[in-house]
Structure formats: structure tokens, C-alpha cells
Amino acid sequence: MSLAFDLSGCLSARLGDGALEESQVLVKAQSLRPALDRLSDLRSAGEGDPEFLLLPDRRADLEPARDLAFALNEACDDVLILGTGGSSLGGQTLYALADAPLGPAHPRLHFLDNVDPFGFERLLDRLDLEHTGVVAVSKSGGTAETLCQFAVIVEAMIEALDESRLASRVAVITEPKDSPLAALAERWRLPRLDHDLGVGGRFSVLSVVGLLPALLAGLDAAAFREGAAAVLDRALGPEGCELASPAAGAALAVLAAERGYSQSVLMPYVDRLADFGLWYRQLWAESLGKHGKGTTPIRALGPVDQHSQLQLYLQGPADKLFTLIRLETEGEGPRVAPQIVDDPRLEYLAGRRMGDLLDAMARATAETLIRNGKPTRTLVLERLDEEVLGGLFMHFMLETILAAELLGVDAYDQPAVEEGKVLARDYLAVMQRD
Ligand SMILES: O=P(O)(O)OC[C@H]1O[C@](O)(CO)[C@@H](O)[C@@H]1O
């Protein structure tokens, strides 16, 4: 499995004089060779940082996750996945791949990643807690929003089920060390999966953090890792600096940023990848946005955002680098019956399939962006399944850490977000308790 990213729409051959030359991108990508070799050595050694690179080759950690998924599947019609940022977005993206509704064999998953009491209480009111499971995910075990959700739900579950049955419905994924969430799990002897110590939240999608929700939805967890492994093999091997590689994607983003392209739009034409854009947004933003560096990730969805954002993309500031992802859908989906649209003005639609329209829209937008001089990278997928999605995750994680390498920033920390967290606690401290 390989992902054929096409960068030609970002280069002078298509965009004209003044645009980036292919050779510039390739030279920059080549400068990442030592970094790629380091990552390759790490993978061969089977240990070291960044540990997320080792996940595609692991299987043993999936066994306890399968057991937990099986137990929750047996007991629950609904499972709430509590957590935020990297503890939620990967799972949400994987879940979007599952066919919904999933049928009696699998529970409905609800990803609660916010603390707006309105939506929270509305969902809780609708659930039958007797048949509801909860998985709280937090790498640090100390995130206020997740702990607040957890405390509220545990109390409701104790009331509905009795404390003695809590461990049959509530589980936790957190690092194997002391934390407020770990202590609560210990207090009620809740089942617990380890969040790998060396895997950052936004790099955790291929760990049990993303794969437990996938297993709950009946997806093939190992296949995600196989797809990621295939991308990794190629990215770290002799083809690692060719134009379609993550190294070239990183080089392109950094070179484009130097020319004022300070925003990066990811626009899939696939509903099932709508959440992928949210996952990518955190990955790119938190990993690169430091010391005045980084570019702003923008999540779009085609064709719907053609009718909302495209005007700006075409005639607004020339500051955006585009990545369009399309799935081959020509000839697929429901057909527009010619007898219903027997109006000459609709002749272009008569007898066409919905997938024809989607495909035509995606191709037309890519071409229009390029004709208007907007650097546009495209990826055409022949299919979308666990293997391909696993490969996409790995491609973008590699692209991100390689861009960090070029920018000279640490891809794995997010020091600036702490300030607001501390201030929020100060505000809470002076609020009245009832
Ligand atoms: O998994 P945790 O520790 O609850 O953190 C959730 C998210 O919060 C952040 O630390 C940012 O506040 C993200 O990096 C992380 O994905």
C-alpha cells in the first residue's frame, strides 16, 4: 500500500514562473536523509523515541484491548469515550470509518470532548445507564475537562447501577503512573489499559487510545497498523525522499511557508475523512506552532466548503497551501433517474450517479485552484479502509515531525497551553460552590 501524493500542482511546471521548482523540494527533502536514517535505526532497534514509530509493528497490546472491547460490547448499547485533544480525535476519526448504524453487535460510540453542560446533560438524559459503558482517556490523567466529565458520569452510574457493578461498565486509558485519574481507577478497581509513556497524545491514534474505539466499532485494529507499517517502510527506505514521500511533503510545507504560505488547508472530498481534518489540525498546530514558527492548519470538506470557503481560497490572500484528498467514486452511489429530471437544464445530471458528481467536483476544484496559481497537492485514493487510513495517519505524523526537524522545533511538547490551564484553576478557586 502506498499513497501517491501528487505535488505537481505546487510546482513551477504547473503554476508557472516564480513557483517552487521540483529540484528545490527534492533538495530540501534530501536534507532530511540523516533524520530518516535515525528513525529507521530506531525502528530496527525496536526501542527509543518517538515511540509512535514502533506501534505499527506491535500486536501484544491489542489483546487486552480486544478483551475490554468484547466485555463492553456484550454489556452496552452505548459507550461514552471521554477525553479531549489527542485522547479523542484519533478515535473519532477511526470511528467515522465504521458503517453506521453498526447493528446489534456493536454499541453506539459517543465522543465527549467538551464540557458544555447543555450538550452533556442532554446526552446523559437520553441514555439507558444500565446499558451504557464509559472509557475515560487521558495520557496525563490530570486534564480538568476529562476529570469533570468522569466524576459526573461515575456518580450517575453509581446511582443507576450500584457501585459494585461500576467496574463492569467503566474503564480507563492512562499512563501507568500516579495521577488523579489513575487514583480514581484504583479506588473503584476499574479495568485499565496503559497509555504508552513514550507516545504523545496527538501521536497516539495507532495505540489503544485510537484502537479501542475502533475495536468497539468492529473495525480491524491490526489492519490500521499494517497500513501504517507499509507507509513507514517506504518513508524510511530508499524512496524516502521522492516527491510523494512525507519528507517531500514536509519540505514543501516549509519552503512554501518561507514564501508566505502561512496556512495549510486539508480538504478531503470524503465525509468519512471529515474528522481526519480535526485530528490533523491538532497534530500540525501543537507540534509546529512554537517560537514564532509553524503554519496554521485549516480543516475543510469538499464539496460543501466550495460553497463557503472557495471564494476566499481563490481570491483572498495568497497565503494557503492546499492538500485535496479524493476517493475514486465515479460510477458509485445512487443514480439520478432521467425520468425525474426530464428538464433540459438538468441534462448534465440525468443518469449520473452521486459519486460521479462528487468526483467531478473534486477534480474541478483542484484544477481551478491550480489554474488560479494556488499551490495544490492532490491525493487520489482507490479505496478507503483500515489499511489506507492507517497509512494516512502515519504519512501525516511523519510529515509533521519532519517539518519540525526542518523548522528546528520540538514536535512533542506544547508548553504554551499550560498558562490557560493554570488561570482556569485560579478562576475556579474563587467561584461559589453550591
Ligand atoms: O490526554 P490528556 O493528558 O488528557 O491531554 C489531552 C490534550 O491536552 C493537551 O495536553 C493540550 O492541553 C493535548 O496535547 C492533549 O492531547
Side-chain angles (χ1 to χ4, degrees):
M1 206 271 308
S2 66
L3 299 171
F5 282 90
D6 178 0
L7 272 59
S8 61
C10 303
L11 304 175
S12 60
R14 300 256 356 243
L15 289 184
D17 289 346
L20 280 170
E21 300 293 334
E22 179 176 321
S23 57
Q24 289 176 286
V25 176
L26 289 175
V27 167
K28 193 74 151 178
Q30 280 294 346
S31 75
L32 287 164
R33 191 71 257 178
L36 296 176
D37 291 344
R38 247 186 358 259
L39 298 177
S40 178
D41 290 347
L42 163 95
R43 192 174 176 214
S44 312
E47 58 180 6
D49 282 332
E51 198 183 331
F52 81 87
L53 286 185
L54 307 176
L55 294 173
D57 302 320
R58 272 191 203 153
R59 291 295 177 271
D61 58 334
L62 294 181
E63 277 320 305
R66 281 199 181 97
D67 293 344
L68 178 57
F70 181 79
L72 289 172
N73 277 353
E74 289 283 287
C76 305
D77 296 330
D78 294 275
V79 175
L80 311 181
I81 312 284
L82 316 182
T84 191
S87 287
S88 180
L89 294 170
Q92 291 189 43
T93 308
L94 294 173
Y95 185 54
L97 193 63
D99 290 330
L102 297 161
H106 300 284
R108 286 174 294 271
L109 303 191
H110 308 269
F111 290 86
L112 300 180
D113 57 1
N114 215 347
V115 283
D116 183 330
F118 180 79
F120 192 86
E121 287 183 325
R122 208 171 52 164
L123 174 65
L124 229 55
D125 284 348
R126 284 207 315 264
L127 294 172
D128 167 9
L129 291 184
E130 178 68 32
H131 297 108
T132 296
V134 178
V135 181
V137 189
S138 174
K139 177 177 168 66
S140 62
T143 298
E145 294 94 319
T146 308
L147 288 163
C148 171
Q149 294 173 333
F150 184 73
V152 171
I153 286 177
V154 162
E155 191 196 5
M157 301 280 285
I158 289 175
E159 224 166 78
L161 292 181
D162 190 79
E163 199 164 326
S164 60
R165 290 172 63 209
L166 206 57
S168 68
R169 295 289 189 284
V170 184
V172 159
I173 301 179
T174 193
E175 287 183 328
K177 61 183 196 195
D178 184 40
S179 72
L181 183 61
L184 290 169
E186 182 63 33
R187 171 171 163 193
W188 286 296
R189 306 240 175 281
L190 304 179
R192 186 170 149 177
L193 298 178
D194 286 345
H195 192 307
D196 303 281
L197 286 164
V199 177
R202 56 187 175 273
F203 296 95
S204 69
V205 61
L206 296 169
S207 76
V208 293
V209 170
L211 297 183
L212 178 69
L215 287 164
L216 284 166
L219 295 167
D220 182 349
F224 287 110
R225 288 186 170 176
E226 281 158 21
V231 164
L232 204 47
D233 288 344
R234 204 176 166 93
L236 303 185
E239 309 99 331
C241 299
E242 66 187 17
L243 267 189
S245 66
L252 172 71
V254 170
L255 288 168
E258 286 167 6
R259 291 165 166 245
Y261 292 97
S262 59
Q263 311 198 352
S264 170
V265 178
L266 183 68
M267 187 168 183
Y269 276 71
V270 190
D271 280 354
R272 283 166 290 162
L273 292 179
D275 291 344
F276 186 81
L278 293 176
W279 170 84
Y280 157 78
R281 205 170 59 145
Q282 182 199 0
L283 176 73
W284 191 258
E286 271 192 347
S287 303
L288 304 182
K290 42 202 85 160
H291 311 305
K293 301 195 177 155
T295 63
T296 303
I298 295 173
R299 171 250 202 178
L301 181 68
V304 63
D305 281 326
Q306 288 177 211
H307 308 288
S308 156
Q309 302 297 298
L310 193 58
Q311 171 61 35
L312 171 82
Y313 293 171
L314 288 167
Q315 293 187 337
D319 58 0
K320 294 178 184 58
L321 173 68
F322 296 90
T323 299
L324 264 55
I325 303 179
R326 114 179 128 81
L327 183 62
E328 283 183 353
T329 54
E330 190 179 339
E332 286 180 12
R335 187 164 164 271
V336 178
Q339 66 274 23
I340 303 285
V341 291
D342 54 355
D343 177 332
R345 290 171 299 180
L346 294 178
E347 208 279 321
Y348 71 95
L349 266 185
R352 305 280 179 221
R353 295 199 173 263
M354 198 176 278
D356 298 342
L357 180 60
L358 179 62
D359 193 73
M361 289 289 184
R363 283 172 28 209
T365 303
E367 188 55 34
T368 307
L369 284 165
I370 294 167
R371 281 190 200 169
N372 281 270
K374 310 300 172 195
T376 303
R377 171 171 76 151
T378 53
L379 173 66
V380 183
L381 302 173
E382 283 173 20
R383 60 180 213 280
L384 182 61
D385 56 14
E386 288 96 329
E387 208 186 335
V388 172
L389 187 53
L392 279 173
F393 281 125
M394 184 51 76
H395 179 99
F396 281 93
M397 287 192 283
L398 285 171
E399 203 166 286
T400 303
I401 63 168
L402 294 170
E405 182 86 21
L406 291 172
L407 292 171
V409 297
D410 180 348
Y412 307 103
D413 65 0
Q414 57 285 330
V417 298
E418 290 311 312
E419 189 177 332
K421 292 183 189 176
V422 172
L423 194 55
R425 286 178 196 204
D426 291 347
Y427 290 155
L428 267 179
V430 293
M431 287 179 193
Q432 296 282 351
R433 290 188 166 95
D434 57 16

